[in-house]
Each structure stands twice: as C-alpha cells, then as structure tokens.
Amino acid sequence: MSVWREAGLVAGKDLRIESRSRVAVSQILPFGLIVILLFAFALDPDRGFLARVAPGLFWIAVLLASLLAIGRAFQTEEQHNARDGLRLAGLDGAAIFLGKAAAIALELLVLEAILGTGVVLLYNVSVHGIGVLLLTALAATIGLAATGTLYGVLAAGIRLRETLLPLLLLPVLAPVMLGATRAFEDGLEGAPGDAWPWVALLGIFAVLYTAIGVLAFGPLWEES
Amino acid sequence: MSVWREAGLVAGKDLRIESRSRVAVSQILPFGLIVILLFAFALDPDRGFLARVAPGLFWIAVLLASLLAIGRAFQTEEQHNARDGLRLAGLDGAAIFLGKAAAIALELLVLEAILGTGVVLLYNVSVHGIGVLLLTALAATIGLAATGTLYGVLAAGIRLRETLLPLLLLPVLAPVMLGATRAFEDGLEGAPGDAWPWVALLGIFAVLYTAIGVLAFGPLWEES
Amino acid sequence: MPLVVRLRSAVCLLGRFPALAGVDLDVHAGEILLLAGPNGAGKTTLLRLVAGLVPLYSGEAEVLGADLTLDRRSARRHLALVGHETFCYDDLTVRENLRFVARASGGDGGTVDATIDRLGLGAVADLTHGKLSAGQRRRLALGTALVRDPELLLLDEPHAGLDADGRAVLHEIVAAAPGEGRTVLMASHELDLARALATREIRVDSGRTSLPVGGPA
Amino acid sequence: MPLVVRLRSAVCLLGRFPALAGVDLDVHAGEILLLAGPNGAGKTTLLRLVAGLVPLYSGEAEVLGADLTLDRRSARRHLALVGHETFCYDDLTVRENLRFVARASGGDGGTVDATIDRLGLGAVADLTHGKLSAGQRRRLALGTALVRDPELLLLDEPHAGLDADGRAVLHEIVAAAPGEGRTVLMASHELDLARALATREIRVDSGRTSLPVGGPA
Amino acid sequence: MRTRDRLLDPRLSRALGVASLVSLVVLALFGLWGAPEDGTQKEAQRLMYLHVPAAWLAYLAFGVTAAASALFLWPRTRSLVWDRLAGASAELGVLFTALTLVLGSLWGKPVWGIWWAWDARLVTTAVLFFLYLGYLALRRIPSGDPIGSAKRNAIAALIAFVDVPIVHFSVEWWRTLHQKATVFNPQLDAKIDGVMALTLWIGVIAFTILYLYLLDKRYRLASLEDEMEEREVEAAIAERIGAPVEVAR
Ligand code: HEM
Ligand SMILES: Nc1ncnc2c1ncn2[C@@H]1O[C@H](COP(=O)(O)OP(=O)(O)OP(=O)(O)O)[C@@H](O)[C@H]1O
Ligand SMILES: Nc1ncnc2c1ncn2[C@@H]1O[C@H](COP(=O)(O)OP(=O)(O)OP(=O)(O)O)[C@@H](O)[C@H]1O
Ligand SMILES: [Mg+2]
Ligand SMILES: [Mg+2]
C-alpha cells in the first residue's frame, strides 16, 4: 500500500472524528476569537496601536489555537490506547505523519481565514498585498502543522502531554510566528518586496520540518 | 465533619497530586514565561510600548496559564472516573468547591509571583505602589480560582473539557482581567488613588463568585 | 424487613437511548441479589442509577429510604459502588487513595491498613495507582468500597480481572456481608461463582428486569 | 514445526520495575498456549512484549521470525492483540473502527460485515464506541483483532466482561484458530474455560515463567 | 550494554583541570589589566571577554550534542556513549547559554541602559535556552528502553539545533540593537584591536578547556549513574525472582 493511500486513510479518520466531535469548529475557533477580543481589551484601543500590532496578535492567536488543535489530534490517539492499535496496524511512520499533519493544516487554514476576518473587522486593519498574505499563511501553516505533529508524537504517551506539549512547541514555533508576523506587516504596509525574504524563510522552515517529520516520525512513533 | 475539614481534605489531595506530578511547576510555569517572551517578540520592542502594556500582557499570560491549571485540576478528577468516586463519598459541595479553588489559588499566586518578576525584568517595568499591586493580585486570583473551579465543574464530565473550558471561561474572566490590568496600570503609574475602585471591583467579583460557588457548586457537581 | 432499593417503572436515558426501559425492582435488607443478563442489557446502568450517578428519567426510585429524584446525596453516603472503573487518582498510592476515600466518607482512615491486608495489596501499597496491573486495580476498587463500610454494596462484574486468590477474597467479603449488616447487589457474567453467593437472581434484558430465576423470592 | 515466539532471559522494565525478570518461552505454530498466574505476575507485560509494544531491556526476543530488538514493525503486521483496552476511537462507530483497522492493516475492509455478524454486534454497528457497554467493547476489541486475519493472536483476559453468548463466540474463534493457521497466546483468570481450549498451559509468576502445568509439552 | 565509562584518561582530565584554572587566571589578568579600555564603553566593555566566549562555547556544546546524536542515529556507530555525551554536552550548553544571557544583561544595563531588549539576538538566545531546557526535560522521562529513549532524545536534539544558526545569523537577518558579528562575520575578516583580540582568544581557549574538563566530569557522572541504575535493576530482578524458579520452555 502506498504511503499516500495510508496518509489519506489517517487524514480521513482524523477529519471524520473532527466532523463528529466538532471540537475545532465549536471550541477551538471560538477560543481564537475570544483571544483576539481579549487582546483588544488588554491593549486599550484608545491608544490606537491595535491596527499596527494586528499581525503579531493574529499570529499569537493562531499559535495558541493551534496548540489546542495539536493537543486534540493526539488526545484522540490516547483514549483507549488507540495509539497502540495504530502501531500494531503497521502503518508507515511517514504516512501517519503526513496524514495527521495534513488534517491539522486543513483545520488551521479554515481557522486562520475566520480569525483573519475577525482581526480585520475588530482591529480596523486595511488589507493590502493579499497574495503575500495568502502565501505567508500557507507556508506558516504547513510549518506549524509539521512541527506540531512531530512534537506531538515526542510528547505522546507521556501522561502529561496536555501540559508538556505547549512547553516543547513554543520555542520551536517562535521563529515561524516571527517570520509570519513580519511578512504580514510588510504585506499590509504595501511593501511586499520586504516580505518575500520572510516568506522564503517560512517556506524553508516548512520544507525542513516536513522532511524531518517524514524521516523521524517513524522511529519516534515506534519508540514512544 | 465540618466544611472546613472537608475542604482541607480536598485541597490537600490536589496539592499532593501536584507535588507528585509537578505539572504546575515544571510545565505550566515555563509555559507562562514563554508566553511572556512571545508577546514581547510579537509586539516589536523598538516601538517602545512594551512597558506601557506590560500589565495587560501580564494578566493575559496569567489567564492563559490559569486555564491550563484549571484544566489540570479537573483532568485529575476524570481519569478513571474519580469524579464519580468523589460524588459517592458524599462530600459537601461547598467543601469540594472551596478545597479545589484554594489549591488552584495557591498555585496561581506562586505563578504570578514568578511571572511578575519575569515581566518586570524583561519588559523593563519600574515598580511602584507595591501594596496596590499585591492586593489586586490577591483579589484577582481569588476571582480567577473561584470562577475557574465553578466553570471547571460545568465542563466536567463532558468528554471534550480540555477544549471547551477555555471557551466557557474566557468571557467571564474578561472583566477580572480588565480590572486587574487597569489597577496595575494605575498602581504602576503611581496613582494608587485611581486603582482602588478597580481593586474594589475585583474584591466584589471574588466575593460574588466565591459565594455563587459555595451555593451552586453542590447542585452542579451532583448533576454533572 | 425494610426495602433497601425500590424501583417502579424506572426509565434511564443514556443520550436518547432508554438503557433502562421501565424497571421494577425490590431489594430487601440482607439480600445478595445477582443481576444476570446479556451484554448491553442495562446492568451497569441499573447499578449506576441505584448509586445516584445517572438521573432517573421517569418512574420512581428509592434507595436506603431516600427518594432519588429529591435527594441523591443522603443515599450515596451509605452505599458503595465497585464499577468498571476504579474511581482512583493515578498519582496517589494505593494507601493514599484508600485513606482519602475513608476520610472523605467521614471515617478516620483507621481501617485502611486492615483493608490493604485483607485484599492482599501489601506489596503494592506504596505504588501509585497508575502503575498497578489490571487485577491490582480491581482489588483496590473493592478496597475503596470496603473502607466506606457501606450498608448497600453495589458490585459491577467484581470477578473480572481477579485471580483465584482475589476471587476467594471477594467470595469471603460478599458471603460475610449479610452478617455485617450489608445488602449486596451484584452484576456478573461469572454465573457459577456468582450463583454460589447469591440469595436471589434476577435477569436483566433489553433494559427490563424479567422473571426472577432460582433462589428465594 | 517453526517457532512463532522465542524468548530467552527476556527482561522488561516498567519504569524501573522488572515486570518481566528473565522469561524463557517457546511458542510453536498452531498452539493454543494459556498463560496463567496471579495478579501482577507479568502476563499483560509478556503479551505486550510479544506484540512489540513494550521494549526489551535485555535478553532475546523473536516473534514470527523477526528480532524485536531490530525490527518490531514486521512482526507486528502479522499479529493482533486484544488487550485490557480496546484501541478504538470513541467518536467512530463500531463499523468505522473495524473498517479503519482492516484498511490500515492493508486489507480492503471486505470482512468487516462478516465480523460484525460473527460477534453479534449487528444491533450496535452504527453506534459510536463511546456509547458501548463494557461487554460490547470487548466484542469490538476481538473484532479489530479478527479483521486483521493475524498469524498470531494475543488475547489478554478475553473472557472478562463477555456474557454467555460472547464466551461461546470466543470459544469458537479460539478453537478454530489452529485450523485457520493461527497460533494463540492467551492470558486468563477463567481457568476452567481457558483450559478447555488450551493445548498447553504455562504458569507466569513474579515476572518468570515456570514449569508447564498439564497439556502436552 | 557495556559502554565506555570515562571520556578521557584520568591523568589527562586532571591536567585539564589544572590547565583550565591557570588559563582562567591568565584571562582575568589580561581581561582586567592587559587589554586596553574601550573608548566609548569604558570598563563595561571588559565583560566581552566572558560574554562572547560563553556564547561560542554554548554553540560548541550544542554542536557536540547534535553531532553525538547524529552518530547515535547512524546504525553503524550506534552506542549509548553518544547518548550520554549528548546529554552531558547539552547540560553544559544550557549552562553557557545562561551565562551568556546573564552576562549580556549585566553588560546591557550600563551600555544600553536596560537589562533586556526585544532584540532578535537576545530573544533567539532566550529561545535557545528554553529549547534545550525542554530537551533536558524530555531526557529525564524514565523509560524501560535505553536504546529507544536515546533515539527519541537524539531526534529531539537534532531538531533543537536548528535554532543555533538562527541565533548566529539573527543579527544579519533583523535590524538589531545587538552588535553585528565582528569576529565571525560573513567576510571572515575580524575587525578588532590586537590585544583585545588576543584577550578574547585567551577567553575562548580558557572556556574551551573548562568545557572539556566539565564534559569529562559530567560524562563520568552520567556513566556512574547509569551503572548504579543498572545495578539497581539487577538487584530488582534478583529480588523479583526471589528463590530460583524452575524454568520452562
Ligand atoms: C542579554 C543580552 C545579550 C545576549 C543574550 C547576547 C547574546 C550573544 C550571543 C549569542 C553571541 C554570539 C554571537 C555569535 O557569534 O553568533 C553574542 C556575541 C557578542 N555580543 Fe552579545 N548578547 C547580549 C548582550 C550584549 C551586549 C549588551 C553587548 C555589548 C554592547 C554585546 C556584545 C557582543 C559582542 C561584541 C559579541 C561578539 C560579536 C561577534 O564577533 O560575533 N552583547 N552575544
Ligand atoms: N447514546 C446512546 N445511544 C444508544 N444506545 C446507547 C447510548 N449509550 C448507551 N447505549 C446503550 O445502552 C446500553 C447500556 O448498557 P449497560 O452498559 O448498562 O449494559 P450492561 O448490562 O452493563 O452490559 P455489559 O454486560 O456489556 O457491561 C448498551 O446497550 C449501549 O449500547
Ligand atoms: N513503575 C512501576 N514500579 C513498580 N512496579 C510496577 C511499575 N509498573 C508496573 N509495576 C508492576 O508490574 C507488574 C505488571 O504486571 P502485569 O500488568 O503484566 O500483570 P498481569 O499478570 O497482567 O496482572 P493482572 O492479572 O492483574 O492483569 C505489576 O505487579 C505492577 O504492580
Ligand atoms: Mg456493564
Ligand atoms: Mg493483566
């Protein structure tokens, strides 16, 4: 059986579980929106720098929401030890990695679209350079999903995954967040030229972590 | 058996579990510190308003960390259905509420002390009006712990607590965060006079939610 | 003799499914009543209803003199349930779990050591629950019920997972129950072992109790 | 006949505790081997070692011709484990869980409906795992093992929780195993039922296997 | 599994201990009196002779961790020696990173007027610190499978090392308050006064010797810990077995 078929099987399973439980739609998304509201609260809109820091806040909200999404993706594997069942099935490690990461990336893209709309409306941001923004979001999302899946399995099987995962992930994701923030800033300020290096950096990051994931996920999954 | 003895029993159990698993110390605390780092990064220090928004960011970090702490406090009740065991034991609802809230409040106070030190050092904040700050933190923490415990039980028993809880809690805690932020801002700007109304508000909130908790926790706990 | 449990047309919903679809049941003090029936019949739901852990949808339910629709807490105080799960904390040791249950139920924990001995948990008394084997967990679950010294003991498949020695201990505990003033309501698929203990047997099927089988009525 | 499982001085640590403290075991093709022993003896750990789910600390372990220290994956492909837990997803239905396992193991899911019938899960086939009763879950766990059509079937207390009907199905499945080219390794406390099936019995105690009891060697 | 229980010959190790003491004294002499006072930064600039070597040694230590991890993952060189070395070196790396952060902060106060700034170099360094703290936390999780958890550790170490080049190039990629690379600049053309450079190199050498000495000691400690654990396990097995049992096949 090809890696792609196996990856599709895993992604399909995860998306079906999501379509049943609606965790992403009914809980993670509202969480992201509320975080965005809270920022607006804490940063006191009167002083008027909300629009300027909007990219940073958007990506923090995405990051926090994606921590929840990743946690959830591995929580499903832990109920009733489903992880052991998956290990017994003998699926290819690379396939499990690609399947889980794809499912997470898809969820995150939808989330970003909605949170982005929220930020534009709430923080009164005017949008320029939509192309740069879309490419940035795509590259950053792939990076987030790949890193998250890789670290999700590093922390999997550990009884305290729920709380350990953010700790492991945040430092690794900080560069993604930074790059995406800067690219968004440049894109919104109408300077897409400045944004491209950042987009390139995000692209490199995405490719790098996807490659590491494809190679390393198998052994990690077997051992964990 | 008096409510206080029962509350002590519950708090003692929760703190003992924490002392075994060290989730708060070794995972939630670093998480809070990293969130503080991330904010600073996203908000681009060159523009120099970090010190000004430090109170807001501090309270967002505390809020996010406390979501984890509350989640953890109810997660322990869910493994192996311990919640049902506790319900069978016939403990007084008020006692369970007070015990769990006290354990959470204690953990949060330690967390705030450390995160606060971090913010002062990292965001280059100069500290004034320490008295106001301490009182604010105390009142806000009691409010956070009481509300968190109350909502924790609302979400308990629901299979998706982990992701649902933040959603339920954030809107309710927004006023606490706002009040604490304003009180900190006024305290730090050397205008404690302006801070007192906020501290009073927080105090009222803490008393109110503790009272609601004492009264409502029992029935909620029984039904959940 | 007074009724310990009295159910009349009791209906319990799990989600929208009537796991109990009108149950009538009388349990007398001092009985050892066996609930037998196929998988999915509603035995676990019935025991959880009596323990006040699932709500009554319609019908009447009285346990230890308390009406479950009005007051679940006072009945719960005097009963104990050994369910499919242990109700214990992974990070507390066997001893700590037992002591917590004993003290939370109003005792002083004085019987904890005796219970550990009685259940043969001495070797693992200081091991946390998370590290126990399946059978050790079942023994601990039984222990948490015993330290509460209940009037009504609800056992949901207590034999499952126990070794020969554990089954002997269980047998001894259940057999001694009436003498200690306890009533026992037990669901089990180990019919031979359970029937040797029971004073009466009732069949549960499709969410209903049907004609009693064997034993004195 | 070739050896299906070959363990020599196998040691497994759980944390720092030697749950297996030097096990020697040979399982021949077509055997139905019963592991008996007290709670906490190490039966579950032994089965999980053979399934490649817990690592070997020292000693040798070969399963279906593969050395577990070098390659756990290729052995795993051809075996199935029914453990204390079901390995299933709460939000998928019985049918979906079975189909996922079948396809993930390289099959096309064609045997899923037959398996559902065989295990008497027809009435709950479209119910999600989270809603099943204890016994229904055990049946499903057995089903996930069968759809993989394993050469080596590992059963950890398969009787627990099953009703009379379920036990009959289990009996039929295990008894038919040698004819279908399967070897069975089974831990159980239902000694009477298990002995009726087993071709050989081995006692596990304190993390060691000891002299075989009964049956042909 | 039998593994090398020392990194270096004990005599060599002792010599390294002495050498690191001597070189630290020389560094102090040069740093405090030998090197000229900086024109603009005055005395504060002397912190450079500690700050910069500490940073570079952190890189070196993490590099050793990554290399050892790679050697562990390579099937032909797989040995627990590499895992132990990786762990020991990572601990020292965290120590040197902490030193860099502390010394940098101490330096920042007089020069920039603040302890901490939100500058890419500073933040990536802090991230590095937390990243390897996470790695060390992961290492401490017990497991019954030395090889398996060593594999996991090794992969985590390789992932974490990605941050090291990011720290180094941060000053090129972002506008920073922090000094751009003057010694290891992209042109590889050190722009620094002669005596200052000499002192800096003395610092680097002193720290390197200290690193090697501590690495050997930490490795030794780790192997003793492993040995003790092995003995504990053997004792536990013996205890579990109790009276000898007749063994069946
Ligand atoms: C907490 C604050 C600081 C941190 C975390 C920090 C971090 C670092 C790091 C990681 C390096 C190694 C760079 C490399 O070669 O890749 C470095 C080098 C250096 N730092 Fe800092 N630093 C801090 C504060 C300062 C201050 C206040 C100064 C002086 C104004 C300073 C001056 C230097 C110099 C001159 C180098 C050598 C540059 C080179 O030749 O590459 N640092 N610092
Ligand atoms: N939400 C639901 N929708 C439909 N059916 C449900 C739902 N939740 C539970 N059920 C069904 O309710 C019944 C519950 O039975 P219960 O657990 O009481 O059985 P039991 O007699 O204890 O069985 P076992 O012997 O297997 O433990 C099962 O048939 C289960 O499939
Ligand atoms: N971290 C640990 N420290 C000490 N002992 C442990 C640890 N983890 C597990 N154990 C012990 O290891 C043994 C594991 O046994 P295992 O689960 O294999 O037993 P079993 O034969 O399946 O028992 P059962 O019949 O009860 O299911 C138990 O005695 C358990 O108490
Ligand atoms: Mg049941
Ligand atoms: Mg077992």
Side-chain angles (χ1 to χ4, degrees):
Chain A
M1 192 165 45
S2 83
V3 168
W4 298 113
R5 220 210 86 170
E6 291 190 355
L9 198 62
V10 173
K13 175 207 64 147
D14 277 9
L15 291 174
R16 172 168 299 201
I17 290 176
E18 164 55 24
S19 81
R20 279 281 151 68
S21 66
R22 307 201 156 278
V23 172
V25 172
S26 69
Q27 292 165 32
I28 298 178
L29 177 63
F31 173 85
L33 286 171
I34 293 170
V35 167
I36 282 181
L37 270 177
L38 273 187
F39 282 142
F41 248 167
L43 297 182
D44 198 0
D46 298 339
R47 297 181 190 173
F49 42 69
L50 255 183
R52 265 160 64 209
V53 298
L57 298 183
F58 170 75
W59 283 107
I60 292 188
V62 168
L63 188 68
L64 293 174
S66 62
L67 288 180
L68 289 182
I70 293 159
R72 165 74 187 157
F74 283 89
Q75 182 199 33
T76 57
E77 300 296 343
E78 241 146 89
Q79 293 166 343
H80 312 295
N81 255 336
R83 206 163 36 88
D84 280 344
L86 213 48
R87 283 157 81 194
L88 283 172
L91 287 175
D92 192 277
I96 301 179
F97 171 78
L98 289 173
K100 283 201 99 67
I104 293 175
L106 210 72
E107 288 175 24
L108 286 185
L109 282 176
V110 174
L111 190 106
E112 284 164 24
I114 299 175
L115 285 189
T117 316
V119 166
V120 169
L121 294 179
L122 289 174
Y123 295 2
N124 208 17
V125 176
S126 52
V127 182
H128 304 281
I130 195 92
V132 182
L133 300 189
L134 287 183
L135 265 179
T136 305
L138 190 68
T141 305
I142 296 176
L144 280 175
T147 330
T149 311
L150 192 55
Y151 273 67
V153 71
L154 262 180
I158 298 169
R159 214 159 31 77
L160 306 172
R161 174 192 47 74
E162 189 178 335
T163 22
L164 184 63
L165 191 60
L167 177 58
L168 288 174
L169 264 176
L170 280 177
V172 197
L173 291 182
V176 180
M177 226 198 60
L178 180 82
T181 302
R182 293 289 181 272
F184 263 43
E185 282 173 359
D186 294 335
L188 288 176
E189 281 167 12
D194 296 349
W196 291 120
W198 293 112
V199 178
L201 192 75
L202 290 174
I204 294 173
F205 194 94
V207 170
L208 190 72
Y209 270 96
T210 308
I212 297 182
V214 167
L215 294 174
F217 195 84
L220 282 177
W221 180 258
E222 297 294 314
E223 303 312 331
S224 70
Chain B
M1 193 165 49
S2 82
V3 168
W4 298 113
R5 221 209 84 171
E6 292 190 355
L9 198 63
V10 173
K13 175 206 61 144
D14 278 7
L15 290 174
R16 170 167 301 198
I17 290 177
E18 163 56 23
S19 81
R20 280 278 153 70
S21 65
R22 306 200 158 278
V23 172
V25 172
S26 69
Q27 291 165 31
I28 297 178
L29 178 63
F31 174 84
L33 286 173
I34 294 171
V35 167
I36 282 182
L37 273 177
L38 273 187
F39 282 145
F41 220 17
L43 297 181
D44 196 1
D46 298 338
R47 298 179 189 174
F49 43 68
L50 253 183
R52 266 158 65 208
V53 297
L57 298 183
F58 170 74
W59 282 107
I60 291 186
V62 169
L63 190 67
L64 292 174
S66 62
L67 288 180
L68 289 181
I70 293 161
R72 167 72 186 158
F74 284 89
Q75 182 199 31
T76 57
E77 300 297 343
E78 242 147 88
Q79 293 167 342
H80 313 295
N81 254 336
R83 206 164 33 91
D84 279 346
L86 213 49
R87 284 157 81 193
L88 284 172
L91 284 176
D92 194 276
I96 301 180
F97 172 78
L98 290 173
K100 283 202 100 66
I104 293 174
L106 210 72
E107 288 175 22
L108 287 185
L109 282 176
V110 174
L111 188 104
E112 285 164 24
I114 300 176
L115 286 188
T117 315
V119 166
V120 168
L121 292 179
L122 294 176
Y123 295 3
N124 207 19
V125 175
S126 53
V127 182
H128 302 283
I130 194 93
V132 182
L133 300 187
L134 287 182
L135 265 180
T136 305
L138 190 69
T141 306
I142 296 177
L144 280 176
T147 331
T149 312
L150 192 55
Y151 275 70
V153 71
L154 266 180
I158 298 171
R159 216 157 29 79
L160 306 172
R161 175 191 47 73
E162 188 177 336
T163 23
L164 183 62
L165 191 60
L167 177 58
L168 287 174
L169 266 174
L170 280 177
V172 197
L173 291 181
V176 179
M177 230 199 56
L178 185 79
T181 303
R182 293 291 178 273
F184 263 43
E185 282 174 359
D186 294 335
L188 288 175
E189 281 167 14
D194 296 350
W196 290 121
W198 294 112
V199 178
L201 192 74
L202 291 172
I204 293 173
F205 192 94
V207 171
L208 191 70
Y209 267 93
T210 309
I212 296 182
V214 167
L215 296 175
F217 194 85
L220 282 176
W221 179 258
E222 297 294 317
E223 302 314 330
S224 73
Chain C
M1 241 194 279
L3 281 183
V4 175
V5 177
R6 183 177 162 277
L7 303 181
R8 289 292 174 276
S9 331
V11 175
C12 279
L13 300 187
L14 297 182
R16 299 210 171 155
F17 180 78
L20 296 184
V23 165
D24 295 288
L25 181 70
D26 284 348
V27 182
H28 303 268
E31 267 194 306
I32 298 176
L33 180 55
L34 168 62
L35 299 173
N39 289 142
K43 303 180 295 298
T44 296
T45 311
L46 178 53
L47 289 173
R48 287 175 60 84
L49 167 70
V50 172
L53 292 177
V54 290
L56 191 68
Y57 177 77
S58 68
E60 296 167 34
E62 252 177 63
V63 174
L64 293 168
D67 184 338
L68 286 188
T69 47
L70 301 177
D71 173 22
R72 296 199 226 161
R73 237 185 105 203
S74 67
R76 275 189 202 149
R77 265 179 203 283
H78 303 288
L79 58 80
L81 167 66
V82 180
H84 289 307
E85 305 216 51
T86 56
F87 308 156
C88 283
Y89 298 97
D90 264 351
D91 284 313
L92 296 186
T93 66
V94 168
R95 195 189 307 280
E96 286 165 350
N97 268 304
L98 288 171
R99 195 180 303 132
F100 176 72
V101 173
R103 297 180 62 197
S105 312
D108 62 354
T111 55
V112 164
D113 287 328
T115 308
I116 288 176
D117 284 346
R118 190 172 182 187
L119 290 167
L121 287 170
V124 292
D126 294 314
L127 218 56
T128 55
H129 176 272
K131 297 176 178 170
L132 299 181
S133 81
Q136 289 161 347
R137 289 183 185 195
R138 303 299 304 160
R139 285 167 189 242
L140 173 56
L142 205 54
T144 58
L146 289 182
V147 290
R148 304 189 57 202
D149 192 18
E151 286 172 35
L152 173 59
L153 184 57
L154 305 170
L155 302 174
D156 198 357
E157 295 184 38
H159 297 94
L162 289 181
D163 62 9
D165 180 52
R167 285 164 188 224
V169 173
L170 174 68
H171 191 105
E172 183 255 313
I173 287 168
V174 175
E180 292 169 342
R182 285 196 238 289
T183 309
V184 179
L185 188 52
M186 167 170 64
S188 182
H189 294 298
E190 304 294 324
L191 294 179
D192 295 341
L193 294 174
R195 281 184 184 140
L197 284 165
T199 56
R200 188 157 66 106
E201 174 177 343
I202 277 191
R203 204 178 146 70
V204 182
D205 205 346
S206 308
R208 312 270 305 229
T209 45
S210 51
L211 274 185
V213 184
Chain D
M1 239 191 284
L3 281 184
V4 175
V5 178
R6 182 175 164 278
L7 303 181
R8 290 290 175 276
S9 327
V11 175
C12 279
L13 301 186
L14 299 182
R16 300 211 168 159
F17 179 78
L20 296 184
V23 166
D24 295 284
L25 181 70
D26 284 348
V27 181
H28 303 268
E31 266 193 310
I32 299 176
L33 180 57
L34 169 63
L35 300 173
N39 290 142
K43 302 179 295 299
T44 296
T45 312
L46 179 52
L47 290 172
R48 287 174 60 85
L49 167 69
V50 172
L53 293 176
V54 292
L56 192 67
Y57 177 77
S58 68
E60 297 165 33
E62 253 178 62
V63 175
L64 295 168
D67 184 339
L68 285 188
T69 47
L70 301 178
D71 172 22
R72 295 199 226 159
R73 238 186 103 202
S74 68
R76 275 189 204 149
R77 267 178 201 283
H78 302 288
L79 59 79
L81 167 66
V82 179
H84 289 309
E85 305 217 51
T86 55
F87 307 155
C88 284
Y89 297 97
D90 265 351
D91 285 313
L92 297 185
T93 65
V94 168
R95 195 189 308 278
E96 286 164 351
N97 268 304
L98 287 172
R99 195 179 305 133
F100 177 71
V101 173
R103 298 181 60 198
S105 311
D108 63 353
T111 55
V112 165
D113 287 329
T115 309
I116 288 176
D117 283 348
R118 191 172 182 189
L119 290 166
L121 286 171
V124 292
D126 294 313
L127 219 55
T128 56
H129 177 272
K131 295 176 178 171
L132 300 180
S133 81
Q136 289 161 347
R137 289 182 187 196
R138 301 302 302 158
R139 287 168 190 242
L140 173 55
L142 204 54
T144 57
L146 289 183
V147 291
R148 303 189 56 203
D149 191 19
E151 286 172 36
L152 174 59
L153 184 57
L154 305 170
L155 301 174
D156 197 358
E157 295 184 38
H159 298 95
L162 289 181
D163 60 12
D165 179 52
R167 285 164 190 224
V169 174
L170 173 68
H171 191 104
E172 183 256 313
I173 288 168
V174 175
E180 294 168 341
R182 285 195 238 289
T183 311
V184 179
L185 188 54
M186 165 169 68
S188 181
H189 294 299
E190 304 293 325
L191 295 179
D192 296 339
L193 294 174
R195 279 184 185 140
L197 285 165
T199 56
R200 189 158 66 107
E201 173 175 345
I202 276 193
R203 206 177 143 71
V204 182
D205 204 346
S206 305
R208 309 262 301 205
T209 45
S210 52
L211 272 185
V213 182
Chain E
M1 186 187 291
R2 281 257 68 85
T3 50
R4 199 185 169 92
D5 62 354
R6 287 174 192 278
L7 212 49
L8 303 172
D9 188 273
R11 280 165 304 174
L12 179 55
S13 163
R14 217 170 308 129
L16 275 177
V18 175
S20 69
L21 256 181
V22 171
S23 57
L24 285 174
V25 170
V26 173
L27 173 64
L29 293 175
F30 266 80
L32 292 176
W33 294 286
E37 194 183 88
D38 183 82
T40 45
Q41 297 190 7
K42 305 282 181 242
E43 298 295 341
Q45 187 267 341
R46 297 184 191 279
L47 275 168
M48 179 180 81
Y49 308 122
L50 297 175
H51 170 75
V52 178
W56 289 349
L57 260 293
Y59 291 174
L60 176 70
F62 293 142
V64 169
T65 299
S69 299
L71 283 170
F72 180 85
L73 287 178
W74 185 251
R76 274 204 249 144
T77 49
R78 178 158 302 166
S79 153
L80 284 181
V81 170
W82 300 125
D83 181 53
R84 222 178 268 162
L85 186 66
S89 192
E91 271 181 31
L92 293 175
V94 166
L95 186 79
F96 282 118
T97 312
L99 209 59
T100 310
L101 284 164
V102 170
L103 292 168
S105 290
L106 287 177
W107 196 357
K109 187 67 185 172
V111 180
W112 300 333
I114 40 175
W115 297 105
W116 184 261
W118 291 96
D119 166 281
R121 166 60 60 77
L122 274 57
V123 172
T124 47
T125 311
V127 165
L128 191 69
F129 179 72
F130 282 111
L131 205 50
Y132 277 91
L133 270 192
Y135 167 75
L136 292 178
L138 200 64
R139 283 190 71 90
R140 267 195 294 276
I141 292 164
S143 123
D145 176 20
I147 300 286
S149 46
K151 239 189 245 174
R152 182 178 66 188
N153 298 338
I155 291 168
L158 288 180
I159 298 172
F161 191 70
V162 172
D163 200 38
V164 168
I166 295 181
V167 175
H168 179 70
F169 288 114
S170 56
V171 284
E172 305 293 332
W173 292 347
W174 289 277
R175 301 170 278 121
T176 53
L177 185 59
H178 193 279
Q179 191 124 358
K180 285 219 191 307
T182 27
V183 181
F184 288 122
N185 52 19
Q187 296 80 36
L188 287 178
D189 164 25
K191 301 184 187 68
I192 182 170
D193 170 87
V195 184
M196 281 188 174
L198 177 68
T199 314
L200 185 58
W201 284 113
I202 294 175
V204 172
I205 292 166
F207 272 44
T208 308
I209 299 173
L210 181 67
Y211 164 76
L212 288 176
Y213 176 70
L214 291 177
L215 187 68
D216 175 61
K217 285 284 171 267
R218 187 61 191 86
Y219 181 95
R220 176 87 182 122
L221 187 63
S223 62
L224 287 176
E225 277 168 3
D226 285 356
E227 203 173 297
M228 200 166 81
E229 196 184 318
E230 215 166 286
R231 265 200 227 128
E232 275 171 17
V233 167
E234 257 150 43
I237 294 173
E239 189 193 339
R240 182 107 219 253
I241 294 170
V245 196
E246 275 176 283
V247 175
R249 290 250 157 103

